[in-house]
PDB file of all heavy atoms in Angstrom:
ATOM      1  N   LEU A   1      12.690  10.582  14.498  1.00  0.00           N
ATOM      2  CA  LEU A   1      12.081   9.435  13.887  1.00  0.00           C
ATOM      3  C   LEU A   1      13.166   8.431  13.358  1.00  0.00           C
ATOM      4  O   LEU A   1      12.969   7.227  13.508  1.00  0.00           O
ATOM      5  CB  LEU A   1      11.370   9.977  12.650  1.00  0.00           C
ATOM      6  CG  LEU A   1      10.651   8.899  11.749  1.00  0.00           C
ATOM      7  CD1 LEU A   1       9.545   8.119  12.571  1.00  0.00           C
ATOM      8  CD2 LEU A   1      10.000   9.530  10.526  1.00  0.00           C
ATOM      9  N   ARG A   2      14.284   8.971  12.851  1.00  0.00           N
ATOM     10  CA  ARG A   2      15.321   8.036  12.427  1.00  0.00           C
ATOM     11  C   ARG A   2      15.847   7.213  13.573  1.00  0.00           C
ATOM     12  O   ARG A   2      16.081   6.016  13.444  1.00  0.00           O
ATOM     13  CB  ARG A   2      16.496   8.884  11.866  1.00  0.00           C
ATOM     14  CG  ARG A   2      17.639   8.016  11.234  1.00  0.00           C
ATOM     15  CD  ARG A   2      18.740   8.877  10.655  1.00  0.00           C
ATOM     16  NE  ARG A   2      19.463   9.349  11.853  1.00  0.00           N
ATOM     17  CZ  ARG A   2      19.779  10.661  11.958  1.00  0.00           C
ATOM     18  NH1 ARG A   2      19.477  11.492  11.104  1.00  0.00           N
ATOM     19  NH2 ARG A   2      20.512  11.005  12.988  1.00  0.00           N
ATOM     20  N   LEU A   3      15.957   7.734  14.792  1.00  0.00           N
ATOM     21  CA  LEU A   3      16.432   6.961  15.924  1.00  0.00           C
ATOM     22  C   LEU A   3      15.423   5.981  16.401  1.00  0.00           C
ATOM     23  O   LEU A   3      15.646   4.887  16.762  1.00  0.00           O
ATOM     24  CB  LEU A   3      16.864   7.923  17.052  1.00  0.00           C
ATOM     25  CG  LEU A   3      18.042   8.832  16.745  1.00  0.00           C
ATOM     26  CD1 LEU A   3      18.187   9.844  17.835  1.00  0.00           C
ATOM     27  CD2 LEU A   3      19.293   7.982  16.580  1.00  0.00           C
ATOM     28  N   ARG A   4      14.075   6.452  16.435  1.00  0.00           N
ATOM     29  CA  ARG A   4      13.051   5.583  16.952  1.00  0.00           C
ATOM     30  C   ARG A   4      12.622   4.519  15.980  1.00  0.00           C
ATOM     31  O   ARG A   4      12.314   3.400  16.458  1.00  0.00           O
ATOM     32  CB  ARG A   4      11.815   6.513  17.254  1.00  0.00           C
ATOM     33  CG  ARG A   4      10.733   5.777  17.957  1.00  0.00           C
ATOM     34  CD  ARG A   4       9.520   6.742  18.388  1.00  0.00           C
ATOM     35  NE  ARG A   4       8.806   7.131  17.159  1.00  0.00           N
ATOM     36  CZ  ARG A   4       8.682   8.355  16.694  1.00  0.00           C
ATOM     37  NH1 ARG A   4       9.362   9.339  17.273  1.00  0.00           N
ATOM     38  NH2 ARG A   4       8.030   8.602  15.572  1.00  0.00           N
ATOM     39  N   SER A   5      12.635   4.797  14.740  1.00  0.00           N
ATOM     40  CA  SER A   5      12.175   3.814  13.710  1.00  0.00           C
ATOM     41  C   SER A   5      12.851   4.068  12.377  1.00  0.00           C
ATOM     42  O   SER A   5      12.400   4.861  11.527  1.00  0.00           O
ATOM     43  CB  SER A   5      10.697   3.912  13.530  1.00  0.00           C
ATOM     44  OG  SER A   5      10.177   3.007  12.515  1.00  0.00           O
ATOM     45  N   PRO A   6      14.001   3.437  12.224  1.00  0.00           N
ATOM     46  CA  PRO A   6      14.764   3.575  10.920  1.00  0.00           C
ATOM     47  C   PRO A   6      13.921   3.237   9.695  1.00  0.00           C
ATOM     48  O   PRO A   6      14.041   3.879   8.626  1.00  0.00           O
ATOM     49  CB  PRO A   6      15.955   2.648  11.104  1.00  0.00           C
ATOM     50  CG  PRO A   6      16.097   2.557  12.606  1.00  0.00           C
ATOM     51  CD  PRO A   6      14.772   2.601  13.117  1.00  0.00           C
ATOM     52  N   ALA A   7      13.043   2.307   9.818  1.00  0.00           N
ATOM     53  CA  ALA A   7      12.210   1.929   8.667  1.00  0.00           C
ATOM     54  C   ALA A   7      11.203   3.008   8.355  1.00  0.00           C
ATOM     55  O   ALA A   7      11.028   3.379   7.150  1.00  0.00           O
ATOM     56  CB  ALA A   7      11.518   0.629   8.946  1.00  0.00           C
ATOM     57  N   ALA A   8      10.667   3.664   9.366  1.00  0.00           N
ATOM     58  CA  ALA A   8       9.674   4.769   9.127  1.00  0.00           C
ATOM     59  C   ALA A   8      10.417   6.004   8.498  1.00  0.00           C
ATOM     60  O   ALA A   8       9.941   6.669   7.633  1.00  0.00           O
ATOM     61  CB  ALA A   8       8.985   5.141  10.419  1.00  0.00           C
ATOM     62  N   HIS A   9      11.637   6.198   8.984  1.00  0.00           N
ATOM     63  CA  HIS A   9      12.491   7.266   8.481  1.00  0.00           C
ATOM     64  C   HIS A   9      12.739   7.012   6.906  1.00  0.00           C
ATOM     65  O   HIS A   9      12.633   7.914   6.097  1.00  0.00           O
ATOM     66  CB  HIS A   9      13.762   7.426   9.219  1.00  0.00           C
ATOM     67  CG  HIS A   9      14.686   8.503   8.728  1.00  0.00           C
ATOM     68  ND1 HIS A   9      15.776   8.203   7.982  1.00  0.00           N
ATOM     69  CD2 HIS A   9      14.617   9.795   8.844  1.00  0.00           C
ATOM     70  CE1 HIS A   9      16.351   9.314   7.667  1.00  0.00           C
ATOM     71  NE2 HIS A   9      15.722  10.272   8.201  1.00  0.00           N
ATOM     72  N   ARG A  10      13.108   5.815   6.635  1.00  0.00           N
ATOM     73  CA  ARG A  10      13.421   5.444   5.214  1.00  0.00           C
ATOM     74  C   ARG A  10      12.112   5.611   4.307  1.00  0.00           C
ATOM     75  O   ARG A  10      12.196   6.066   3.203  1.00  0.00           O
ATOM     76  CB  ARG A  10      14.037   4.091   5.076  1.00  0.00           C
ATOM     77  CG  ARG A  10      14.317   3.601   3.677  1.00  0.00           C
ATOM     78  CD  ARG A  10      15.414   4.588   3.132  1.00  0.00           C
ATOM     79  NE  ARG A  10      15.732   4.110   1.760  1.00  0.00           N
ATOM     80  CZ  ARG A  10      16.067   4.988   0.868  1.00  0.00           C
ATOM     81  NH1 ARG A  10      16.132   6.262   1.072  1.00  0.00           N
ATOM     82  NH2 ARG A  10      16.390   4.560  -0.345  1.00  0.00           N
ATOM     83  N   LEU A  11      10.996   5.179   4.928  1.00  0.00           N
ATOM     84  CA  LEU A  11       9.698   5.399   4.133  1.00  0.00           C
ATOM     85  C   LEU A  11       9.427   6.788   3.888  1.00  0.00           C
ATOM     86  O   LEU A  11       9.038   7.147   2.832  1.00  0.00           O
ATOM     87  CB  LEU A  11       8.558   4.744   4.975  1.00  0.00           C
ATOM     88  CG  LEU A  11       7.195   4.809   4.365  1.00  0.00           C
ATOM     89  CD1 LEU A  11       7.145   4.093   3.016  1.00  0.00           C
ATOM     90  CD2 LEU A  11       6.147   4.263   5.363  1.00  0.00           C
ATOM     91  N   LEU A  12       9.667   7.684   4.931  1.00  0.00           N
ATOM     92  CA  LEU A  12       9.433   9.124   4.693  1.00  0.00           C
ATOM     93  C   LEU A  12      10.474   9.625   3.647  1.00  0.00           C
ATOM     94  O   LEU A  12       9.987  10.394   2.766  1.00  0.00           O
ATOM     95  CB  LEU A  12       9.685   9.843   5.984  1.00  0.00           C
ATOM     96  CG  LEU A  12       9.493  11.354   6.030  1.00  0.00           C
ATOM     97  CD1 LEU A  12       8.111  11.700   5.686  1.00  0.00           C
ATOM     98  CD2 LEU A  12       9.891  11.943   7.315  1.00  0.00           C
ATOM     99  N   GLN A  13      11.660   9.186   3.582  1.00  0.00           N
ATOM    100  CA  GLN A  13      12.577   9.564   2.566  1.00  0.00           C
ATOM    101  C   GLN A  13      12.040   9.207   1.216  1.00  0.00           C
ATOM    102  O   GLN A  13      12.110   9.901   0.201  1.00  0.00           O
ATOM    103  CB  GLN A  13      13.949   8.992   2.754  1.00  0.00           C
ATOM    104  CG  GLN A  13      14.686   9.512   3.927  1.00  0.00           C
ATOM    105  CD  GLN A  13      16.028   8.818   4.129  1.00  0.00           C
ATOM    106  OE1 GLN A  13      16.140   7.599   4.025  1.00  0.00           O
ATOM    107  NE2 GLN A  13      17.051   9.567   4.395  1.00  0.00           N
ATOM    108  N   LEU A  14      11.605   7.844   1.103  1.00  0.00           N
ATOM    109  CA  LEU A  14      11.154   7.463  -0.229  1.00  0.00           C
ATOM    110  C   LEU A  14       9.927   8.148  -0.734  1.00  0.00           C
ATOM    111  O   LEU A  14       9.789   8.521  -1.840  1.00  0.00           O
ATOM    112  CB  LEU A  14      10.833   5.854  -0.180  1.00  0.00           C
ATOM    113  CG  LEU A  14      12.074   5.023   0.048  1.00  0.00           C
ATOM    114  CD1 LEU A  14      11.584   3.572   0.415  1.00  0.00           C
ATOM    115  CD2 LEU A  14      12.949   5.020  -1.047  1.00  0.00           C
ATOM    116  N   CYS A  15       8.958   8.421   0.266  1.00  0.00           N
ATOM    117  CA  CYS A  15       7.744   9.146  -0.154  1.00  0.00           C
ATOM    118  C   CYS A  15       8.084  10.601  -0.474  1.00  0.00           C
ATOM    119  O   CYS A  15       7.343  11.237  -1.284  1.00  0.00           O
ATOM    120  CB  CYS A  15       6.742   9.057   0.968  1.00  0.00           C
ATOM    121  SG  CYS A  15       6.049   7.416   1.182  1.00  0.00           S
ATOM    122  N   SER A  16       9.016  11.171   0.140  1.00  0.00           N
ATOM    123  CA  SER A  16       9.331  12.633  -0.212  1.00  0.00           C
ATOM    124  C   SER A  16       9.852  12.829  -1.614  1.00  0.00           C
ATOM    125  O   SER A  16       9.662  13.923  -2.167  1.00  0.00           O
ATOM    126  CB  SER A  16      10.444  13.131   0.812  1.00  0.00           C
ATOM    127  OG  SER A  16      11.647  12.501   0.513  1.00  0.00           O
ATOM    128  N   PHE A  17      10.227  11.709  -2.249  1.00  0.00           N
ATOM    129  CA  PHE A  17      10.591  11.834  -3.675  1.00  0.00           C
ATOM    130  C   PHE A  17       9.376  12.275  -4.509  1.00  0.00           C
ATOM    131  O   PHE A  17       9.507  13.016  -5.502  1.00  0.00           O
ATOM    132  CB  PHE A  17      11.125  10.443  -4.143  1.00  0.00           C
ATOM    133  CG  PHE A  17      11.409  10.378  -5.563  1.00  0.00           C
ATOM    134  CD1 PHE A  17      12.468  10.950  -6.202  1.00  0.00           C
ATOM    135  CD2 PHE A  17      10.530   9.792  -6.452  1.00  0.00           C
ATOM    136  CE1 PHE A  17      12.676  10.930  -7.558  1.00  0.00           C
ATOM    137  CE2 PHE A  17      10.654   9.819  -7.763  1.00  0.00           C
ATOM    138  CZ  PHE A  17      11.766  10.294  -8.324  1.00  0.00           C
ATOM    139  N   PHE A  18       8.187  11.891  -4.081  1.00  0.00           N
ATOM    140  CA  PHE A  18       6.986  12.187  -4.826  1.00  0.00           C
ATOM    141  C   PHE A  18       6.443  13.589  -4.561  1.00  0.00           C
ATOM    142  O   PHE A  18       5.545  14.039  -5.254  1.00  0.00           O
ATOM    143  CB  PHE A  18       5.895  11.177  -4.502  1.00  0.00           C
ATOM    144  CG  PHE A  18       6.234   9.827  -5.010  1.00  0.00           C
ATOM    145  CD1 PHE A  18       6.779   8.831  -4.181  1.00  0.00           C
ATOM    146  CD2 PHE A  18       6.017   9.465  -6.320  1.00  0.00           C
ATOM    147  CE1 PHE A  18       7.096   7.575  -4.626  1.00  0.00           C
ATOM    148  CE2 PHE A  18       6.349   8.161  -6.835  1.00  0.00           C
ATOM    149  CZ  PHE A  18       6.864   7.294  -6.019  1.00  0.00           C
ATOM    150  N   ALA A  19       7.016  14.245  -3.620  1.00  0.00           N
ATOM    151  CA  ALA A  19       6.625  15.729  -3.289  1.00  0.00           C
ATOM    152  C   ALA A  19       5.076  15.772  -3.032  1.00  0.00           C
ATOM    153  O   ALA A  19       4.625  15.028  -2.236  1.00  0.00           O
ATOM    154  CB  ALA A  19       7.154  16.622  -4.310  1.00  0.00           C
ATOM    155  N   ALA A  20       4.438  16.694  -3.698  1.00  0.00           N
ATOM    156  CA  ALA A  20       3.043  16.834  -3.481  1.00  0.00           C
ATOM    157  C   ALA A  20       2.149  15.847  -4.378  1.00  0.00           C
ATOM    158  O   ALA A  20       0.880  15.891  -4.199  1.00  0.00           O
ATOM    159  CB  ALA A  20       2.681  18.282  -3.787  1.00  0.00           C
ATOM    160  N   ARG A  21       2.773  15.018  -5.202  1.00  0.00           N
ATOM    161  CA  ARG A  21       1.896  14.125  -6.008  1.00  0.00           C
ATOM    162  C   ARG A  21       1.345  12.999  -5.123  1.00  0.00           C
ATOM    163  O   ARG A  21       1.922  12.636  -4.081  1.00  0.00           O
ATOM    164  CB  ARG A  21       2.763  13.593  -7.098  1.00  0.00           C
ATOM    165  CG  ARG A  21       3.211  14.570  -8.048  1.00  0.00           C
ATOM    166  CD  ARG A  21       4.034  13.970  -9.217  1.00  0.00           C
ATOM    167  NE  ARG A  21       5.207  13.201  -8.613  1.00  0.00           N
ATOM    168  CZ  ARG A  21       6.400  13.307  -9.115  1.00  0.00           C
ATOM    169  NH1 ARG A  21       6.621  14.014 -10.175  1.00  0.00           N
ATOM    170  NH2 ARG A  21       7.382  12.699  -8.535  1.00  0.00           N
ATOM    171  N   PRO A  22       0.191  12.496  -5.475  1.00  0.00           N
ATOM    172  CA  PRO A  22      -0.412  11.369  -4.705  1.00  0.00           C
ATOM    173  C   PRO A  22       0.493  10.135  -4.673  1.00  0.00           C
ATOM    174  O   PRO A  22       1.203   9.838  -5.718  1.00  0.00           O
ATOM    175  CB  PRO A  22      -1.670  11.094  -5.499  1.00  0.00           C
ATOM    176  CG  PRO A  22      -1.939  12.370  -6.272  1.00  0.00           C
ATOM    177  CD  PRO A  22      -0.636  12.858  -6.552  1.00  0.00           C
ATOM    178  N   ILE A  23       0.456   9.474  -3.623  1.00  0.00           N
ATOM    179  CA  ILE A  23       1.261   8.212  -3.536  1.00  0.00           C
ATOM    180  C   ILE A  23       0.288   7.098  -3.433  1.00  0.00           C
ATOM    181  O   ILE A  23      -0.543   7.065  -2.591  1.00  0.00           O
ATOM    182  CB  ILE A  23       2.183   8.202  -2.339  1.00  0.00           C
ATOM    183  CG1 ILE A  23       3.156   9.427  -2.384  1.00  0.00           C
ATOM    184  CG2 ILE A  23       2.928   6.948  -2.121  1.00  0.00           C
ATOM    185  CD1 ILE A  23       3.915   9.725  -1.093  1.00  0.00           C
ATOM    186  N   SER A  24       0.393   6.015  -4.268  1.00  0.00           N
ATOM    187  CA  SER A  24      -0.464   4.932  -4.330  1.00  0.00           C
ATOM    188  C   SER A  24      -0.250   4.016  -3.100  1.00  0.00           C
ATOM    189  O   SER A  24       0.842   3.659  -2.693  1.00  0.00           O
ATOM    190  CB  SER A  24      -0.127   4.112  -5.615  1.00  0.00           C
ATOM    191  OG  SER A  24      -0.696   2.870  -5.565  1.00  0.00           O
ATOM    192  N   THR A  25      -1.396   3.689  -2.489  1.00  0.00           N
ATOM    193  CA  THR A  25      -1.399   2.711  -1.334  1.00  0.00           C
ATOM    194  C   THR A  25      -0.911   1.331  -1.860  1.00  0.00           C
ATOM    195  O   THR A  25      -0.295   0.630  -1.113  1.00  0.00           O
ATOM    196  CB  THR A  25      -2.623   2.554  -0.642  1.00  0.00           C
ATOM    197  OG1 THR A  25      -3.676   2.313  -1.553  1.00  0.00           O
ATOM    198  CG2 THR A  25      -3.021   3.830   0.095  1.00  0.00           C
ATOM    199  N   THR A  26      -1.172   1.062  -3.137  1.00  0.00           N
ATOM    200  CA  THR A  26      -0.721  -0.198  -3.685  1.00  0.00           C
ATOM    201  C   THR A  26       0.842  -0.214  -3.668  1.00  0.00           C
ATOM    202  O   THR A  26       1.461  -1.296  -3.312  1.00  0.00           O
ATOM    203  CB  THR A  26      -1.218  -0.292  -5.156  1.00  0.00           C
ATOM    204  OG1 THR A  26      -2.523  -0.275  -5.167  1.00  0.00           O
ATOM    205  CG2 THR A  26      -0.705  -1.638  -5.828  1.00  0.00           C
ATOM    206  N   MET A  27       1.474   0.853  -3.962  1.00  0.00           N
ATOM    207  CA  MET A  27       2.916   0.947  -3.911  1.00  0.00           C
ATOM    208  C   MET A  27       3.407   0.832  -2.462  1.00  0.00           C
ATOM    209  O   MET A  27       4.408   0.098  -2.178  1.00  0.00           O
ATOM    210  CB  MET A  27       3.503   2.237  -4.501  1.00  0.00           C
ATOM    211  CG  MET A  27       5.003   2.330  -4.535  1.00  0.00           C
ATOM    212  SD  MET A  27       5.647   3.905  -5.003  1.00  0.00           S
ATOM    213  CE  MET A  27       5.346   4.858  -3.528  1.00  0.00           C
ATOM    214  N   ILE A  28       2.711   1.569  -1.590  1.00  0.00           N
ATOM    215  CA  ILE A  28       3.094   1.542  -0.169  1.00  0.00           C
ATOM    216  C   ILE A  28       3.063   0.109   0.406  1.00  0.00           C
ATOM    217  O   ILE A  28       3.937  -0.267   1.199  1.00  0.00           O
ATOM    218  CB  ILE A  28       2.256   2.474   0.716  1.00  0.00           C
ATOM    219  CG1 ILE A  28       2.434   3.966   0.247  1.00  0.00           C
ATOM    220  CG2 ILE A  28       2.539   2.356   2.148  1.00  0.00           C
ATOM    221  CD1 ILE A  28       3.798   4.501   0.589  1.00  0.00           C
ATOM    222  N   TYR A  29       1.972  -0.675   0.092  1.00  0.00           N
ATOM    223  CA  TYR A  29       1.791  -1.987   0.641  1.00  0.00           C
ATOM    224  C   TYR A  29       2.359  -3.079  -0.278  1.00  0.00           C
ATOM    225  O   TYR A  29       2.066  -4.220  -0.087  1.00  0.00           O
ATOM    226  CB  TYR A  29       0.312  -2.229   0.942  1.00  0.00           C
ATOM    227  CG  TYR A  29      -0.126  -1.537   2.154  1.00  0.00           C
ATOM    228  CD1 TYR A  29      -0.827  -0.309   2.065  1.00  0.00           C
ATOM    229  CD2 TYR A  29       0.133  -2.039   3.420  1.00  0.00           C
ATOM    230  CE1 TYR A  29      -1.268   0.354   3.293  1.00  0.00           C
ATOM    231  CE2 TYR A  29      -0.236  -1.352   4.539  1.00  0.00           C
ATOM    232  CZ  TYR A  29      -0.949  -0.202   4.490  1.00  0.00           C
ATOM    233  OH  TYR A  29      -1.414   0.448   5.579  1.00  0.00           O
ATOM    234  N   SER A  30       3.255  -2.714  -1.221  1.00  0.00           N
ATOM    235  CA  SER A  30       3.712  -3.783  -2.164  1.00  0.00           C
ATOM    236  C   SER A  30       4.849  -4.544  -1.513  1.00  0.00           C
ATOM    237  O   SER A  30       5.453  -4.174  -0.442  1.00  0.00           O
ATOM    238  CB  SER A  30       4.286  -3.020  -3.368  1.00  0.00           C
ATOM    239  OG  SER A  30       5.548  -2.311  -3.028  1.00  0.00           O
ATOM    240  N   ASP A  31       5.029  -5.755  -1.984  1.00  0.00           N
ATOM    241  CA  ASP A  31       6.128  -6.631  -1.523  1.00  0.00           C
ATOM    242  C   ASP A  31       7.461  -5.949  -1.673  1.00  0.00           C
ATOM    243  O   ASP A  31       8.351  -6.094  -0.857  1.00  0.00           O
ATOM    244  CB  ASP A  31       6.115  -7.919  -2.347  1.00  0.00           C
ATOM    245  CG  ASP A  31       4.876  -8.832  -2.071  1.00  0.00           C
ATOM    246  OD1 ASP A  31       4.261  -8.667  -0.932  1.00  0.00           O
ATOM    247  OD2 ASP A  31       4.544  -9.573  -2.874  1.00  0.00           O
ATOM    248  N   GLU A  32       7.609  -5.195  -2.713  1.00  0.00           N
ATOM    249  CA  GLU A  32       8.885  -4.461  -3.039  1.00  0.00           C
ATOM    250  C   GLU A  32       9.167  -3.484  -1.899  1.00  0.00           C
ATOM    251  O   GLU A  32      10.339  -3.292  -1.412  1.00  0.00           O
ATOM    252  CB  GLU A  32       8.896  -3.782  -4.303  1.00  0.00           C
ATOM    253  CG  GLU A  32      10.176  -3.106  -4.648  1.00  0.00           C
ATOM    254  CD  GLU A  32      11.391  -4.006  -4.761  1.00  0.00           C
ATOM    255  OE1 GLU A  32      11.202  -5.253  -5.029  1.00  0.00           O
ATOM    256  OE2 GLU A  32      12.519  -3.598  -4.454  1.00  0.00           O
ATOM    257  N   MET A  33       8.123  -2.713  -1.455  1.00  0.00           N
ATOM    258  CA  MET A  33       8.286  -1.778  -0.307  1.00  0.00           C
ATOM    259  C   MET A  33       8.719  -2.528   0.981  1.00  0.00           C
ATOM    260  O   MET A  33       9.631  -2.021   1.696  1.00  0.00           O
ATOM    261  CB  MET A  33       7.025  -0.941  -0.063  1.00  0.00           C
ATOM    262  CG  MET A  33       7.244   0.093   0.988  1.00  0.00           C
ATOM    263  SD  MET A  33       8.402   1.383   0.480  1.00  0.00           S
ATOM    264  CE  MET A  33       7.483   2.316  -0.682  1.00  0.00           C
ATOM    265  N   VAL A  34       8.159  -3.664   1.180  1.00  0.00           N
ATOM    266  CA  VAL A  34       8.534  -4.468   2.424  1.00  0.00           C
ATOM    267  C   VAL A  34       9.979  -4.870   2.210  1.00  0.00           C
ATOM    268  O   VAL A  34      10.797  -4.653   3.194  1.00  0.00           O
ATOM    269  CB  VAL A  34       7.613  -5.674   2.504  1.00  0.00           C
ATOM    270  CG1 VAL A  34       8.201  -6.580   3.648  1.00  0.00           C
ATOM    271  CG2 VAL A  34       6.191  -5.290   2.861  1.00  0.00           C
ATOM    272  N   ARG A  35      10.383  -5.241   1.083  1.00  0.00           N
ATOM    273  CA  ARG A  35      11.875  -5.686   0.862  1.00  0.00           C
ATOM    274  C   ARG A  35      12.764  -4.494   1.061  1.00  0.00           C
ATOM    275  O   ARG A  35      13.837  -4.536   1.587  1.00  0.00           O
ATOM    276  CB  ARG A  35      11.940  -6.280  -0.529  1.00  0.00           C
ATOM    277  CG  ARG A  35      11.543  -7.693  -0.575  1.00  0.00           C
ATOM    278  CD  ARG A  35      12.033  -8.399  -1.858  1.00  0.00           C
ATOM    279  NE  ARG A  35      11.420  -7.822  -3.036  1.00  0.00           N
ATOM    280  CZ  ARG A  35      10.277  -8.206  -3.531  1.00  0.00           C
ATOM    281  NH1 ARG A  35       9.514  -9.135  -2.930  1.00  0.00           N
ATOM    282  NH2 ARG A  35       9.725  -7.701  -4.628  1.00  0.00           N
ATOM    283  N   LEU A  36      12.328  -3.257   0.545  1.00  0.00           N
ATOM    284  CA  LEU A  36      13.178  -2.092   0.698  1.00  0.00           C
ATOM    285  C   LEU A  36      13.353  -1.599   2.154  1.00  0.00           C
ATOM    286  O   LEU A  36      14.359  -1.155   2.539  1.00  0.00           O
ATOM    287  CB  LEU A  36      12.552  -0.918  -0.083  1.00  0.00           C
ATOM    288  CG  LEU A  36      12.639  -0.919  -1.510  1.00  0.00           C
ATOM    289  CD1 LEU A  36      11.778   0.144  -2.169  1.00  0.00           C
ATOM    290  CD2 LEU A  36      14.054  -0.784  -1.975  1.00  0.00           C
ATOM    291  N   LEU A  37      12.274  -1.886   2.946  1.00  0.00           N
ATOM    292  CA  LEU A  37      12.356  -1.455   4.353  1.00  0.00           C
ATOM    293  C   LEU A  37      12.880  -2.512   5.348  1.00  0.00           C
ATOM    294  O   LEU A  37      13.331  -2.202   6.477  1.00  0.00           O
ATOM    295  CB  LEU A  37      10.938  -1.001   4.843  1.00  0.00           C
ATOM    296  CG  LEU A  37      10.341   0.130   4.114  1.00  0.00           C
ATOM    297  CD1 LEU A  37       8.937   0.430   4.523  1.00  0.00           C
ATOM    298  CD2 LEU A  37      11.133   1.417   4.236  1.00  0.00           C
ATOM    299  N   MET A  38      12.939  -3.711   4.937  1.00  0.00           N
ATOM    300  CA  MET A  38      13.372  -4.737   5.787  1.00  0.00           C
ATOM    301  C   MET A  38      14.828  -4.585   6.374  1.00  0.00           C
ATOM    302  O   MET A  38      15.100  -4.827   7.561  1.00  0.00           O
ATOM    303  CB  MET A  38      13.323  -6.179   5.143  1.00  0.00           C
ATOM    304  CG  MET A  38      11.889  -6.717   5.209  1.00  0.00           C
ATOM    305  SD  MET A  38      11.758  -8.319   4.334  1.00  0.00           S
ATOM    306  CE  MET A  38      12.739  -9.352   5.350  1.00  0.00           C
ATOM    307  N   PRO A  39      15.803  -4.100   5.555  1.00  0.00           N
ATOM    308  CA  PRO A  39      17.173  -3.846   6.149  1.00  0.00           C
ATOM    309  C   PRO A  39      17.113  -2.818   7.286  1.00  0.00           C
ATOM    310  O   PRO A  39      18.035  -2.772   8.113  1.00  0.00           O
ATOM    311  CB  PRO A  39      17.872  -3.240   4.972  1.00  0.00           C
ATOM    312  CG  PRO A  39      17.223  -3.790   3.760  1.00  0.00           C
ATOM    313  CD  PRO A  39      15.758  -3.774   4.139  1.00  0.00           C
ATOM    314  N   TYR A  40      16.035  -1.956   7.387  1.00  0.00           N
ATOM    315  CA  TYR A  40      15.890  -0.961   8.446  1.00  0.00           C
ATOM    316  C   TYR A  40      15.113  -1.382   9.665  1.00  0.00           C
ATOM    317  O   TYR A  40      15.171  -0.832  10.679  1.00  0.00           O
ATOM    318  CB  TYR A  40      15.353   0.291   7.853  1.00  0.00           C
ATOM    319  CG  TYR A  40      16.090   0.854   6.794  1.00  0.00           C
ATOM    320  CD1 TYR A  40      15.841   0.453   5.366  1.00  0.00           C
ATOM    321  CD2 TYR A  40      17.163   1.750   6.943  1.00  0.00           C
ATOM    322  CE1 TYR A  40      16.629   1.018   4.355  1.00  0.00           C
ATOM    323  CE2 TYR A  40      17.900   2.279   5.941  1.00  0.00           C
ATOM    324  CZ  TYR A  40      17.666   1.908   4.634  1.00  0.00           C
ATOM    325  OH  TYR A  40      18.336   2.389   3.609  1.00  0.00           O
ATOM    326  N   ASP A  41      14.460  -2.607   9.461  1.00  0.00           N
ATOM    327  CA  ASP A  41      13.701  -3.079  10.597  1.00  0.00           C
ATOM    328  C   ASP A  41      13.536  -4.589  10.456  1.00  0.00           C
ATOM    329  O   ASP A  41      12.746  -5.164   9.624  1.00  0.00           O
ATOM    330  CB  ASP A  41      12.260  -2.483  10.601  1.00  0.00           C
ATOM    331  CG  ASP A  41      11.456  -2.919  11.820  1.00  0.00           C
ATOM    332  OD1 ASP A  41      11.737  -3.934  12.387  1.00  0.00           O
ATOM    333  OD2 ASP A  41      10.387  -2.262  12.065  1.00  0.00           O
ATOM    334  N   LYS A  42      14.373  -5.366  11.209  1.00  0.00           N
ATOM    335  CA  LYS A  42      14.450  -6.847  11.028  1.00  0.00           C
ATOM    336  C   LYS A  42      13.119  -7.459  11.409  1.00  0.00           C
ATOM    337  O   LYS A  42      12.854  -8.629  10.953  1.00  0.00           O
ATOM    338  CB  LYS A  42      15.590  -7.408  11.887  1.00  0.00           C
ATOM    339  CG  LYS A  42      16.974  -6.800  11.498  1.00  0.00           C
ATOM    340  CD  LYS A  42      17.284  -7.091  10.024  1.00  0.00           C
ATOM    341  CE  LYS A  42      18.679  -6.641   9.732  1.00  0.00           C
ATOM    342  NZ  LYS A  42      18.952  -6.571   8.339  1.00  0.00           N
ATOM    343  N   GLY A  43      12.263  -6.839  12.186  1.00  0.00           N
ATOM    344  CA  GLY A  43      10.982  -7.386  12.616  1.00  0.00           C
ATOM    345  C   GLY A  43       9.952  -7.239  11.467  1.00  0.00           C
ATOM    346  O   GLY A  43       8.810  -7.834  11.558  1.00  0.00           O
TER     347      GLY A  43
END
């Protein structure tokens, strides 16, 4: 995954912080998440 999609790998790392707790889709689709992932995927 890290080789195929560095941004997806980073998203997995960020979400793993929450362990088994629910992750808000609002957080996933936030502008801040886009900004956090942009360095990993210029597109």
Side-chain angles (χ1 to χ4, degrees):
L1 179 63
R2 186 182 72 233
L3 294 173
R4 188 178 70 245
S5 177
H9 179 258
R10 182 63 180 144
L11 178 62
L12 183 62
Q13 288 177 320
L14 293 169
C15 289
S16 70
F17 173 78
F18 293 97
R21 293 182 302 223
I23 301 170
S24 165
T25 55
T26 302
M27 183 189 76
I28 296 290
Y29 284 99
S30 69
D31 292 334
E32 183 61 29
M33 184 63 75
V34 172
R35 281 192 295 276
L36 286 171
L37 297 176
M38 280 178 64
Y40 300 91
D41 185 342
K42 300 302 181 192

